[in-house]
Amino acid sequence: MDGQHDEQHDDAGDRDDPVTGGESVTDGEPQRSAGLRAGRLGALRRTGVILAVLAVALAGAVLGVLAGGRVDTDIGPFRASLTLTPASDGGTTVDVPPLGALLLNSHDGPTHLTVRLGALDQGRTEALLDDPASISRASQSAVEDVRSGVMRLGLRTLASVVLVTLILAGLIFRDVRRTAWAGGLALLVTAGSLGTAAATLRPQAIEEPRYEGLLVNAPAIVGDARRIANDYTKYAEQLQRIVGNVSQLYTTVSALPVYEPAPGTTRVLHVSDMHLNPTGWQLIRTVVEQFGIDAVIDTGDITDWGSEPEASFVGSIGLLKKPYVFIRGNHDSGRTGAAVARQPNAIVLNNSTTTVAGLTIAGIGDPRFTPDKNTSPAGSGLTQQVADQVIGAGEQLASTVRNSPQPVNIALVHDPASAGPLAGTCPLVLAGHTHSRQVSKLPQAPGQQPTTLMVEGSTGGAGLRGLEGEKPTPLSMTVLYFDPQKMLQAYDDITVGGTGQAQVNLERHVVENPSAGAPASVTPTPTR
C-alpha cells in the first residue's frame, strides 16, 4: 500500500511540477499551441466581422441611395425630379426630354445629380401663355427651388441609407451592436460623399455645359455665348436663363425658338476637311440656320482628288447664302479653288486678306497638292522639303498680315504646322488637316500679342477614309463667338457621330481671358 501510495504521489508530483516535471513540460506545449491557435482564430473572426460590417454598410449605402435618393419638386413652371446616384466622378445632368440634356461638371465625389424636367403645371402653363412676363417671374424662383429641392434630397437620401442599412444588417447579423455599427458607417460614408460634393461645388460649371440631343435645339437650350461670357460669375442668372429658355421651348406652339444673339455678337462657323462627304453640307446648313451664323470659314480639303468632276461638289456653297471664306488644302487643286471662287458668296484667299462680317481675315492655301500620297513625293512623308514648304507658307502669310492696312483678326492655314510664324501677328489662327480637334497657344515673344491656334476636326468625317477604322470618324465643326471688338469670347464644339450614327454633342467653352494660356509648340503634321 505504501509503495502504491508513493508511486501515485510521484506521478502527481511529476504532473504538478511546473519546472522539472518531465510530463508537465510535454503537456504544456499543446496547451500553449492551442492558445495561440485560439488567439489567431479570434483575430480572424474579429477581422471577418469588421469586414462584414463594412461590406454591409457600403451595400446599404448604395441600396439606400438607389431606393430613396429622389425627390419631386417644382422648378419654375416645371414639375421636376431630382435624383442622386452613385458615380465615380460626380457631375450633374439636366435632362430636358425630348429636347436633350445638359451635362455639367458641377462637383467631385462619388455622387451624380440628375435634374429631370417633367411636365408643366397646367395652371402655370396657362399663365405663361397669357402673360409672357410670367416666364421671367417663374425663372427668378428657379434658384431657390433647386436649392430647396437639393436640401430635401440630401436629407431624404441620408434617412433612406440609414434605414436600408439597419434592415439589411439586422437580417444578416441579428446582433444589435453590429447592426448599429453598420448603420453608423453607412451614414458616415453617405454624409462624407455629400459633403465632398458640397465642398467641391463649382457654380460656374453651368456656364460651360455640354449638350447632347437634337442639333436644332442646341442654341435655345445652351443659351447665348456672349451673355454667358459677360456674366461669368453669376450662377443664379445663368440658371434662370436656362430655365427661361426651356420654358419658352415648352410654351411656344408654332416653332422652337432660337435664342437671339446679343447686339454686336458675330457668329462664325469653322469647317474643314469635308472630303466630298455630302452629309457635311446638310450639317452645315442646319447649323447656319439654327445658330444664326454670319459667315463660314473653310480651312481646306473640300475634295479628295481635286478633279474636274469633283468641282460640282462645291455647288452647295451658294445655297448657304452666307459669306464663305475658303483656302485650299493639300487635296484641293487649282481647279477646286476656281470652282469655289465661282460661287456667288465665296471668297478664296491665297496669301491675301478680306473683310467679312466686320472681321478682317487673312489666309493662304496649302503649298502642296497631294491627292495620291503613293505617287506624290511631296505628300509621302515629313521630309525636310515638306517641312520647308509648310512652314514657308506660314512665313508668307505672316508677312502679309504684318503689312495689312487693317489689323487682322483671324489667319487661316490648312496645316497647323504653318501656324508657327504667325505667332504674335494676330489673335487667332484657324487650321485643319489633322482630322482632330486641338486648341493651343502659339509661343509668345516678349511684347507681342498672344495667338491662339484652333485646329478643326473633319466636317466630312474624313470622307471614305473615315470608314477605315473600327468606328467611323465623327463629323465636327465649331461655332466661334466674337464680341464687338472682334475678340473670341466663346466657342461651341459640335460633334456628330460618324456615318450611320445620329448622336449629336455640343460642348460650350467660355474664353475667360483671350490673352491667358501656356505656350504650345506646333510641329509639321503628316498628310491626311
Side-chain angles (χ1 to χ4, degrees):
M1 293 291 293
D2 291 339
Q4 293 178 355
H5 177 76
D6 291 341
E7 184 177 348
Q8 292 174 359
H9 179 76
D10 291 340
D11 292 342
D14 290 341
R15 288 193 300 270
D16 294 339
D17 189 345
V19 178
T20 60
E23 291 186 14
S24 66
V25 173
T26 303
D27 292 343
E29 289 178 354
Q31 292 174 2
R32 283 196 298 272
S33 299
L36 291 173
R37 285 196 299 271
R40 284 194 293 268
L41 290 174
L44 289 174
R45 280 195 296 269
R46 287 192 296 273
T47 302
V49 169
I50 292 173
L51 293 176
V53 170
L54 285 173
V56 170
L58 291 175
V62 172
L63 293 175
V65 170
L66 295 176
R70 173 175 174 167
V71 297
D72 294 326
T73 187
D74 291 328
I75 298 179
F78 296 95
R79 189 63 181 169
S81 66
L82 277 63
T83 306
L84 277 179
T85 52
S88 59
D89 55 358
T92 298
T93 298
V94 182
D95 194 8
V96 192
L99 305 177
L102 292 176
L103 281 67
L104 310 176
N105 184 21
S106 57
H107 62 273
D108 298 325
T111 54
H112 186 87
L113 173 64
T114 299
V115 180
R116 183 179 178 87
L117 299 181
L120 286 166
D121 178 83
Q122 183 176 355
R124 297 183 186 183
T125 302
E126 293 174 355
L128 289 171
L129 292 171
D130 295 337
D131 179 14
S134 62
I135 292 179
S136 176
R137 291 195 296 272
S139 299
Q140 290 172 2
S141 66
V143 176
E144 185 57 38
D145 292 341
V146 171
R147 184 183 295 113
S148 174
V150 170
M151 289 296 295
R152 289 195 295 114
L153 177 64
L155 294 175
R156 178 185 173 91
T157 301
L158 290 173
S160 175
V161 165
V162 172
L163 179 61
V164 170
T165 305
L166 290 177
I167 294 174
L168 183 64
L171 292 175
I172 293 176
F173 296 127
R174 300 184 182 278
D175 181 273
V176 174
R177 188 169 64 177
R178 294 176 184 175
T179 300
W181 270 106
L185 285 173
L187 176 62
L188 182 63
V189 169
T190 307
S193 300
L194 297 178
T196 299
T200 59
L201 183 65
R202 292 180 289 273
Q204 70 272 18
I206 200 169
E207 299 160 24
E208 298 190 75
R210 191 171 82 250
Y211 170 77
E212 292 184 351
L214 296 177
L215 183 61
V216 295
N217 299 325
I221 295 294
V222 176
D224 180 70
R226 184 171 179 271
R227 294 189 184 184
I228 289 176
N230 290 343
D231 299 329
Y232 188 79
T233 61
K234 301 178 181 178
Y235 167 65
E237 292 182 13
Q238 301 309 321
L239 183 56
Q240 292 166 12
R241 184 170 295 121
I242 285 178
V243 172
N245 290 340
V246 176
S247 301
Q248 293 181 58
L249 286 171
Y250 270 83
T251 55
T252 301
V253 178
S254 59
L256 295 175
V258 175
Y259 204 90
E260 292 297 327
T265 298
T266 303
R267 298 186 176 198
V268 174
L269 177 63
H270 180 203
V271 302
S272 191
D273 296 82
M274 290 272 286
H275 289 291
L276 293 177
N277 188 345
T279 305
W281 287 124
Q282 301 171 15
L283 179 60
I284 290 173
R285 283 196 294 271
T286 300
V287 173
V288 166
E289 293 172 2
Q290 295 296 324
F291 284 71
I293 297 299
D294 298 299
V296 180
I297 290 176
D298 186 337
T299 47
D301 276 0
I302 197 170
T303 60
D304 255 339
W305 296 86
S307 62
E308 187 70 30
E310 290 175 292
S312 62
F313 178 74
V314 308
S316 295
I317 292 175
L319 301 177
L320 298 177
K321 301 186 186 322
K322 298 290 182 181
Y324 194 96
V325 182
F326 175 80
I327 61 169
R328 287 184 301 102
N330 59 288
H331 284 260
D332 301 319
S333 66
R335 294 177 180 177
T336 304
V340 173
R342 287 195 293 268
Q343 302 304 309
N345 57 324
I347 303 168
V348 178
L349 298 178
N350 192 16
N351 199 24
S352 55
T353 63
T354 188
T355 299
V356 173
L359 293 163
T360 300
I361 305 171
I364 190 169
D366 196 293
R368 304 159 293 178
F369 177 50
T370 58
D372 188 346
K373 292 182 290 184
N374 294 324
T375 60
S376 174
S380 59
L382 286 178
T383 64
Q384 187 61 46
Q385 178 187 5
V386 172
D388 291 343
Q389 283 182 307
V390 173
I391 296 174
E395 292 172 345
Q396 293 178 51
L397 185 60
S399 177
T400 299
V401 171
R402 292 190 184 97
N403 295 326
S404 172
Q406 297 290 333
V408 171
N409 305 116
I410 308 172
L412 311 180
V413 294
H414 178 64
D415 192 325
S418 299
L422 291 160
T425 65
C426 60
L428 180 63
V429 177
L430 302 182
H433 185 64
T434 65
H435 301 175
S436 178
R437 278 198 182 106
Q438 178 186 354
V439 179
S440 59
K441 289 285 182 181
L442 294 177
Q444 182 178 355
Q448 291 185 344
Q449 64 176 318
T451 300
T452 299
L453 171 63
M454 300 185 71
V455 182
E456 189 55 79
S458 175
T459 307
L464 291 177
R465 64 177 54 81
L467 301 175
E468 294 173 355
E470 293 183 5
K471 294 183 179 180
T473 301
L475 282 65
S476 62
M477 57 182 61
T478 301
V479 179
L480 308 171
Y481 301 86
F482 296 88
D483 66 8
Q485 289 72 43
K486 308 308 176 187
M487 295 298 296
L488 183 65
Q489 292 297 298
Y491 58 95
D492 290 338
D493 285 333
I494 299 173
T495 305
V496 180
T499 302
Q501 301 180 2
Q503 178 64 38
V504 177
N505 180 286
L506 183 148
E507 189 164 358
R508 163 69 48 78
H509 303 272
V510 176
V511 180
E512 293 183 68
N513 183 358
S515 63
S521 60
V522 179
T523 56
T525 51
T527 302
R528 301 183 68 95

